[in-house]
């Protein structure tokens, strides 16, 4: 009987398995049918809107679209057809539909009405144009991190696609998603025609090798390139996090100013113009505290966006089950505290790994009366838990006590320097006096009595006699008598607007700074000492004040600048940076200079040798892209709308502006001789211009229409006759500049020499993509001027360096951390001695030195 039951069970399992295969096949057929239907609807709309003379040229094929795809090896395009005689493409569309241009009045419906509205994560929509957020060497391993689980499968092939791509996709709720066996696709190379079939998350892209590799055995697809002998060393960090962080500038006994931006803690010696960097964090540093010994430093970070959880994506049925261990959250990306030595940059302790903190460690402070044996921390969870640690005990420290602080934000926490086991914290609508007693924390709320309770208590300091001094959002200073929780004295209207920082100077006087950009000096009786200074509006309100060398004062501002000076001599900037998302980066063609522009409307020209700002200019709108004319006298800046500007560097004047495109220009590049300009737009078109007078005069030649999504990258050929471009749905297309028409035979472009390699998709850069990547994981790449190296910027805060050409999949390279947000751009300086990288949301600029490794 058991044998019969076992046999029946086996048959049942076989039948279930067979049914599952049939269902999968039907799903695949449905996907193909949807693609064909979308293509047919698009073509019908194009025919209806096209003139009668053009209808014959754009007529639907006589055979069904699916059969045509099977016969020609292509899947029907779902892209927007120009309706103007442009050559058809054979690209496979992605399940995530990039934002399409709005339909013009009087035209038929666009294909976007029949597609998933899911937006592309990597390429952000146009923001508001108004302003608003380890290893001592920075080297991580010898090869690029490859174990990624990105959010979306890649979308498109280049001009020749594989009709079999659809078999690796499933469908749920009208959204394509990747099935598990799509990950098993391996790249293949056909020596006969020199075609590399490369897969991004199971989707095929065809790249054509140079003629020299056709029929040759020199190219082996399964033999990755070795990592280059050159490596990167972090040389300089531009910027400071003052926009949304507090209590984060201090002077060390070494004469270095310590502060942070992105995932880097910077130790900057202003006199010697030297920087050192602590790179142990995996994401944004949010808080810092200096030990009483002035050598030990504690820094807290936010919860990391590690590579396993970079972005949500549509889950398959299998992925709704319990994830395997390799998919579970990496603990090193949890919010935690790192305690390290500021002289050696060696990490001493890592505290809080293992779900101790929620979201971020927002406030830190060492105890003072016991020599810094304890550390207090507050996280950014809903209950803002305050915890006290014996940080020296054990390998990971020991938590002494913790308790829920408040449901409202906590902005500052400090140990009382004169009262044992006493902690003071403040935040929204509160100031709290904590006492550590018998393994628990007891709290007393501050009593304002006759004074109006402010909305925010923003900062804390301690007078020499032990009084607590607090500043609030109404511009008042409150003095709380030592040992009490009541206001003993008040200075109302100390600032116009909030008081953001209070600092006790060595001479016993007090300085305060606030939203009114004023730095005011007070005597020990809390009366104005007759000295005040107003920080220029270009640097913003005061965020942080700290004692500098001698009688100097350090000032951090909300516009991410640091100034130093005195009331007598005035204040000058020593650190400047962007304050909003940063995408634009261009290096000067002949000098050690580079330009950056961001959504904060600011355009900066930097010097890589002096590490300073040469000049800055506020643009009319937020900016997205910038490029130099080859003569180096004019730069082209694209805005967050459809406008772009030509700026003369010597006078900083706008000498030309244009708004031909209907949406934002994502990428702009001059030809090698400077006589032509190509601008790739979010309206899916590339606009070609002739250029005269060194980049001061422009005339439109035409528009390249054929991409079915917004243009992301482009390159000019050395002779200026061709342009290659990538799009948001991962196409690689080629264009003849003279006619503004697409080159439909991609194999004919295999031997074209390109002046740059900014396109992230292509035969010579397919090795920069890690295994399992999708088309949004690599944001930018740049080939060195010597053509020996290629650098890439990825979505996980890493800058990667490879040997060029990087034409073999899964090539080895060097990977470097420092950025906390997605890295948006990378560019080599004209002599290849340095590499510049920009972070997106972290607004940071990192300068790397290219060095040769002695290990080779």
């Amino acid at each position: 009987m058991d044998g019969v039951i076992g046999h029946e069970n086996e048959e049942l399992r076989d039948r279930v398995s067979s049914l599952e295969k049939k269902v999968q096949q039907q799903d695949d057929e449905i996907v193909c049918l949807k693609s064909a239907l979308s293509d047919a609807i698009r073509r019908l709309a194009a025919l209806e809107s096209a003139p009668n003379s053009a209808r014959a040229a754009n007529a639907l094929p006589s055979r069904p679209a699916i059969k045509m795809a099977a016969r020609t090896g292509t899947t029907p395009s779902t892209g927007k057809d120009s309706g103007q005689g442009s050559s058809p493409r054979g690209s496979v569309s992605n399940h995530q539909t990039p934002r399409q241009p709005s339909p013009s009045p009087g035209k038929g419906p666009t294909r976007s009405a029949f597609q998933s509205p899911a937006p592309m994560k990597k390429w952000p929509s146009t923001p508001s144009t108004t302003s608003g957020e380890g290893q001592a060497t920075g080297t991580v391993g010898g090869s690029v991190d490859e174990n990624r689980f990105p959010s979306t499968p890649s979308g498109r092939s280049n001009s020749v696609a594989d009709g079999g791509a659809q078999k690796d996709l499933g469908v749920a709720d009208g959204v394509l998603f990747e099935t598990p066996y799509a990950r098993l696709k391996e790249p293949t190379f056909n020596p006969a025609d020199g075609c590399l079939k490369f897969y991004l998350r199971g989707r095929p892209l065809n790249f054509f090798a140079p003629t020299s590799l056709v029929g040759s055995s020199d190219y082996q697809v399964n033999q990755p390139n070795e990592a280059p002998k050159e490596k990167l060393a972090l040389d300089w960090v531009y910027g400071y996090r003052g926009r949304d962080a507090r209590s984060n500038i201090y002077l060390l006994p070494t004469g270095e100013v310590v502060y942070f931006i992105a995932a880097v803690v910077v130790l900057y010696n202003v006199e010697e113009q030297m920087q050192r960097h602590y790179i142990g964090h995996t994401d944004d540093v949010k808080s810092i505290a200096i030990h009483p010994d002035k050598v030990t430093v504690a820094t807290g970070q936010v919860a990391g966006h590690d590579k396993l959880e970079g972005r949500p994506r549509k889950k398959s049925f299998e992925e709704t089950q319990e994830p395997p261990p390799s998919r579970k959250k990496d603990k090193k990306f949890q919010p935690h505290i790192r305690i390290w030595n500021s002289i050696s940059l060696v990490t001493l302790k890592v505290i809080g790994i293992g779900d101790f903190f929620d979201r971020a460690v927002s406030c830190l402070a060492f105890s003072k009366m016991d020599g810094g044996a304890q550390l207090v921390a507050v996280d950014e969870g809903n209950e803002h838990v305050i915890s006290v640690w014996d940080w020296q005990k054990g390998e990971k420290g020991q938590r002494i006590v913790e308790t829920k602080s408040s449901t409202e934000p906590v902005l500052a926490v400090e140990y009382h320097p004169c009262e044992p086991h006493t902690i003071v914290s403040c935040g929204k609508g509160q100031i709290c006096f904590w006492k550590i007693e018998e393994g628990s924390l007891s709290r007393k709320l501050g009593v304002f009595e006759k004074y109006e309770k402010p909305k925010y208590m923003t900062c804390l300091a301690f007078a020499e006699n032990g009084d607590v001094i607090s500043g609030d959002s109404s511009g008042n200073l409150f003095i709380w008598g030592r040992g009490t929780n009541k206001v003993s004295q008040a200075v109302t209207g100390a600032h116009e607007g909030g008081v953001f920082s209070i600092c006790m100077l060595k001479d016993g006087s007090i300085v305060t700074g606030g939203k009114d950009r004023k730095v005011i000096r007070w005597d020990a009786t809390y009366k104005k000492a007759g000295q005040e200074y107003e920080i220029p509006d270009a640097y913003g309100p005061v965020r942080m004040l700290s004692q500098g060398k001698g009688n100097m004062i350090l000032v951090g501002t909300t516009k991410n600048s640091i100034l130093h000076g005195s009331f007598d001599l005035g204040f000058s900037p020593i650190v400047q940076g962007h304050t909003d998302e940063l995408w634009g980066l261009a290096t000067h063609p002949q000098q050690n200079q580079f330009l950056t522009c961001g959504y904060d409307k600011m355009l900066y020209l930097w010097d890589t040798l002096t590490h300073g700002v040469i000049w800055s200019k506020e643009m009319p709108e937020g900016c997205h892209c910038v490029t130099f004319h080859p003569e180096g006298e004019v730069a082209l800046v694209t805005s967050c709308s459809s406008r772009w500007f030509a700026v003369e560097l010597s006078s900083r004047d706008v000498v030309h502006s244009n708004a031909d495109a209907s949406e934002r220009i994502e990428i702009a590049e001059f030809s090698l001789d400077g006589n032509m300009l190509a601008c790739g737009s979010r309206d899916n078109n590339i606009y070609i211009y002739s250029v005269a007078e060194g980049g001061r005069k422009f005339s439109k030649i035409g528009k390249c229409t054929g991409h079915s999504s917004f243009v992301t990258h482009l390159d000019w050929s050395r002779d200026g006759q061709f342009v290659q471009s990538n799009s948001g749905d991962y196409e690689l297309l080629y264009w003849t500049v003279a006619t503004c028409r697409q080159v439909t035979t991609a194999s004919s472009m295999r031997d074209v020499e390109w002046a740059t390699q900014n396109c992230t998709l292509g035969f010579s850069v397919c090795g920069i993509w890690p295994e399992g990547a999708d088309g949004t994981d690599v944001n930018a790449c740049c080939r060195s001027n010597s053509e020996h190296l290629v650098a890439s910027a990825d979505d996980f805060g890493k800058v990667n360096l490879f040997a060029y050409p990087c034409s073999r999949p899964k090539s080895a390279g060097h990977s470097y951390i420092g950025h906390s947000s997605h890295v948006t751009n990378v560019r080599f300086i004209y002599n290849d001695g340095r590499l510049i990288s920009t972070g997106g949301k972290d607004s940071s600029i990192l300068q790397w030195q290219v060095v040769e490794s002695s290990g080779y």
Side-chain angles (χ1 to χ4, degrees):
M1 180 64 68
D2 290 342
V4 174
I5 294 175
H7 180 69
E8 290 180 351
N9 287 339
E10 185 67 28
E11 287 184 346
L12 181 61
R13 283 193 291 268
D14 290 341
R15 278 188 285 174
V16 171
S17 177
S18 176
L19 288 172
E20 287 179 346
K21 290 180 180 178
K22 289 182 180 180
V23 170
Q24 182 63 54
Q25 290 172 357
Q26 291 173 352
D27 284 345
D28 297 338
E29 292 173 0
I30 291 172
V31 170
C32 292
L33 288 171
K34 283 186 175 182
S35 178
L37 179 60
S38 176
D39 183 64
I41 292 172
R42 174 186 55 77
R43 288 173 178 268
L44 285 172
L47 282 173
E48 290 174 357
S49 61
N52 292 333
S53 60
R55 291 186 180 182
N58 291 278
L60 289 170
S62 58
R63 297 185 181 184
I66 297 178
K67 291 183 179 180
M68 178 186 68
R71 176 173 58 84
T72 63
T74 62
T75 54
S77 169
T78 58
K80 178 181 176 181
D81 199 332
S82 66
Q84 299 173 357
S86 61
S87 301
R89 300 170 315 283
S91 300
V92 183
S93 67
N94 186 293
H95 78 278
Q96 275 192 318
T97 304
R99 184 162 62 93
Q100 300 297 326
S102 302
S104 301
K107 292 190 176 182
T110 65
R111 62 187 268 274
S112 59
F114 308 98
Q115 293 179 323
S116 165
M120 293 288 296
K121 178 260 170 196
K122 186 76 244 62
W123 306 99
S125 59
T126 304
S128 171
T129 56
T130 58
S131 303
E133 164 191 48
Q135 289 75 8
T137 62
T139 303
V140 181
S143 62
V144 176
D145 209 354
E146 295 182 348
N147 185 25
R148 296 180 180 174
F149 292 84
S151 61
T152 58
S154 68
R156 289 190 174 263
S157 69
N158 64 358
S159 55
V160 182
D162 190 334
Q166 299 286 6
K167 67 184 179 182
D168 295 327
L169 297 179
V171 62
D173 300 329
V175 180
L176 297 180
F177 64 87
E178 180 193 16
T179 56
Y181 58 85
R183 302 174 189 166
L184 303 178
K185 292 288 187 179
E186 292 292 335
T188 59
F189 181 70
N190 185 351
D193 60 4
C195 179
L196 171 67
K197 184 171 289 187
F198 180 75
Y199 294 89
L200 285 178
R201 301 294 285 175
R203 305 301 299 274
L205 305 174
N206 291 342
F207 301 139
F208 291 92
T211 303
S212 59
L213 295 180
V214 177
S216 172
S217 60
D218 293 341
Y219 181 84
Q220 297 295 326
V221 71
N222 58 351
Q223 295 181 2
N225 290 2
E226 294 183 355
K229 63 180 180 179
E230 293 86 358
K231 292 188 176 182
L232 299 179
L234 186 56
D235 180 37
W236 202 265
V237 176
Y238 301 87
Y240 152 74
R241 184 168 182 169
R243 179 183 55 179
D244 61 349
R246 302 166 185 271
S247 304
N248 58 355
I249 304 176
Y250 298 97
L251 181 69
L252 300 177
T254 58
E256 296 169 309
V257 180
V258 59
Y259 57 95
F260 55 77
I261 183 173
V264 183
V265 185
V266 181
L267 297 92
Y268 178 24
N269 191 313
V270 180
E271 293 181 354
E272 298 180 5
Q273 282 297 296
M274 297 275 294
Q275 276 190 359
R276 296 187 300 137
H277 311 99
Y278 176 74
I279 307 181
H281 287 279
T282 56
D283 213 290
D284 276 303
V285 181
K286 192 67 182 290
S287 54
I288 186 170
I290 308 300
H291 193 274
D293 65 11
K294 303 297 183 182
V295 174
T296 307
V297 179
T299 45
Q301 75 163 62
V302 305
H305 61 284
D306 68 49
K307 57 182 177 292
L308 305 186
E309 50 185 17
R311 302 178 301 277
R313 67 184 177 99
K314 187 69 180 178
K315 293 183 178 181
S316 65
F317 172 78
E318 291 83 354
E319 292 175 314
T320 62
Q321 313 306 308
E322 177 68 19
S326 62
R327 292 295 307 276
K328 293 182 179 179
K329 186 176 181 180
D330 192 334
K331 289 186 177 181
K332 70 181 179 181
F333 292 95
Q334 294 173 343
H336 62 268
I337 302 166
R338 305 184 78 88
I339 301 174
W340 46 280
N341 185 293
S342 62
I343 296 176
S344 64
L345 302 181
V346 172
T347 302
L348 305 176
K349 293 288 175 66
V350 180
I351 294 176
I353 296 291
D355 297 324
F356 287 101
F357 302 113
D358 192 10
R359 297 180 185 170
V361 181
S362 58
C363 303
L364 283 173
F366 281 102
S367 58
K368 298 175 177 62
M369 292 195 68
D370 58 2
Q374 294 180 356
L375 178 70
V376 62
V378 181
D379 70 15
E380 282 192 352
N382 293 333
E383 295 171 332
H384 298 90
V385 172
I386 181 171
S387 57
V388 178
W389 298 76
D390 184 344
W391 67 270
Q392 295 173 315
K393 193 168 185 178
E395 293 184 0
K396 300 179 181 179
Q398 179 178 333
R399 184 173 54 182
I400 299 172
V401 63
E402 73 168 24
T403 188
K404 299 173 183 178
S405 171
S406 171
T407 57
E408 302 292 352
V410 177
L411 303 181
V413 66
E414 292 287 349
Y415 266 94
H416 200 293
C418 306
E419 296 287 332
H421 310 299
T422 300
I423 299 169
V424 185
S425 67
C426 68
K428 184 176 181 180
Q430 59 176 302
I431 181 169
C432 302
F433 299 84
W434 303 85
K435 195 78 172 180
I436 306 174
E437 297 175 324
E438 299 178 354
S440 65
L441 274 170
S442 60
R443 179 181 69 172
K444 289 184 179 180
L445 292 175
V447 179
F448 291 88
E449 294 184 330
K450 63 180 180 179
Y451 300 103
E452 182 180 356
K453 185 179 180 180
K455 185 174 181 180
Y456 284 91
M457 303 294 291
T458 54
C459 52
L460 294 170
F462 297 92
E464 290 184 335
N465 63 359
D467 289 348
V468 178
I469 311 170
S470 66
D472 66 35
S473 55
S474 300
N476 306 316
L477 297 176
F478 289 110
I479 293 84
W480 310 78
R482 177 176 174 178
T484 71
N485 64 329
K486 296 182 180 180
V487 176
S488 61
Q489 186 176 345
V491 181
T492 58
H495 285 268
E496 298 176 8
V499 180
F500 290 162
S501 185
I502 306 170
C503 177
M504 293 294 304
L505 299 180
K506 291 183 291 187
D507 60 5
S509 61
I510 306 165
V511 289
T512 59
K515 190 175 182 179
D516 57 4
R517 307 196 316 277
K518 291 182 180 179
V519 181
I520 302 176
R521 191 176 197 133
W522 310 79
D523 61 24
T525 62
Y526 310 109
K527 294 181 180 179
K528 286 187 177 181
Q531 290 182 308
E532 64 178 61
Y533 185 91
E534 185 171 342
I535 302 297
D537 182 60
Y539 305 118
V542 176
R543 173 63 77 195
M544 171 68 179
L545 295 171
S546 184
Q547 175 75 65
K549 278 191 174 182
N551 64 345
M552 303 289 279
I553 300 172
L554 295 168
V555 182
T557 73
T558 59
K559 288 190 176 181
N560 292 352
S561 297
I562 300 177
L563 299 86
H564 76 158
S566 64
F567 290 101
D568 297 329
L569 302 176
F571 292 82
S572 58
I574 56 174
V575 175
Q576 291 178 260
H578 286 275
T579 59
D580 207 341
E581 190 163 349
L582 178 59
W583 284 82
L585 170 66
T587 52
H588 196 284
Q590 298 101 23
Q591 300 180 34
N592 290 292
Q593 298 174 359
F594 64 93
L595 279 167
T596 59
C597 63
Y599 294 171
D600 58 0
K601 302 183 182 180
M602 294 304 299
L603 175 68
Y604 284 100
L605 179 64
W606 308 83
D607 191 295
T608 63
L609 301 181
T610 63
H611 310 117
V613 176
I614 299 174
W615 55 255
S616 63
K617 176 181 176 65
E618 185 173 358
M619 301 298 292
E621 306 176 39
C623 303
H624 183 76
C625 172
V626 62
T627 186
F628 277 99
H629 186 272
E631 293 181 7
E633 297 179 357
V634 173
L636 187 136
V637 183
T638 74
S639 72
C640 292
S641 66
S642 61
R643 297 175 66 194
W644 55 264
F645 309 91
V647 178
E648 188 176 57
L649 301 185
S650 58
S651 64
R652 307 177 215 173
D653 292 334
V654 174
V655 295
H656 185 91
S657 65
N658 185 286
D660 286 332
S662 59
E663 297 190 54
R664 182 177 71 198
I665 300 296
E666 287 284 343
I667 181 67
E669 292 290 340
F670 287 97
S671 60
L672 191 60
D673 58 11
N675 294 328
M676 305 285 282
L677 170 70
C679 296
S681 172
R682 288 190 72 91
D683 64 12
N684 306 353
N685 301 313
I686 300 174
Y687 297 83
I688 306 296
Y689 301 87
S690 65
V691 182
E693 299 180 11
R696 295 171 178 83
K697 186 176 181 180
F698 300 83
S699 298
K700 183 180 176 182
I701 293 177
K703 178 173 66 174
C704 300
T705 300
H707 272 298
S708 54
S709 182
F710 56 90
V711 182
T712 59
H713 307 88
L714 61 83
D715 296 290
W716 282 89
S717 62
R718 287 193 178 277
D719 57 14
Q721 295 185 23
F722 302 102
V723 167
Q724 67 174 352
S725 57
N726 294 156
S727 65
D729 54 359
Y730 325 134
E731 288 177 319
L732 171 61
L733 301 183
Y734 302 95
W735 312 89
T736 301
V737 174
T739 61
C740 294
R741 292 202 175 255
Q742 181 187 340
V743 180
T744 57
T745 308
S747 58
S748 66
M749 305 297 292
R750 64 170 81 233
D751 292 322
V752 173
E753 295 185 3
W754 300 100
T756 57
Q757 184 59 63
N758 298 326
C759 285
T760 58
L761 295 173
F763 180 80
S764 60
V765 291
C766 65
I768 70 176
W769 293 88
E771 186 175 11
D774 74 18
T776 67
D777 286 341
V778 178
N779 302 322
C781 71
C782 179
R783 185 185 68 196
S784 65
N785 296 286
S786 65
E787 301 188 15
H788 292 153
L789 298 170
V790 60
S792 70
D794 71 25
D795 218 15
F796 311 108
K798 293 184 177 64
V799 175
N800 309 291
L801 187 68
F802 302 89
Y804 185 86
C806 192
S807 55
R808 297 180 181 181
K810 307 177 190 177
S811 291
H814 307 297
S815 183
Y816 302 89
I817 59 175
H819 291 286
S820 58
S821 177
H822 48 281
V823 186
T824 55
N825 216 333
V826 285
R827 287 292 183 268
F828 284 95
I829 293 298
Y830 80 101
N831 60 8
D832 295 337
R834 291 176 176 84
L835 177 77
I836 310 298
S837 62
T838 56
K841 292 291 188 181
D842 64 30
S843 306
S844 65
I845 306 167
L846 303 189
Q847 179 175 305
W848 309 84
Q849 188 171 2
V850 181
V851 296
E852 289 199 15
S853 173
S854 59
Y856 289 83

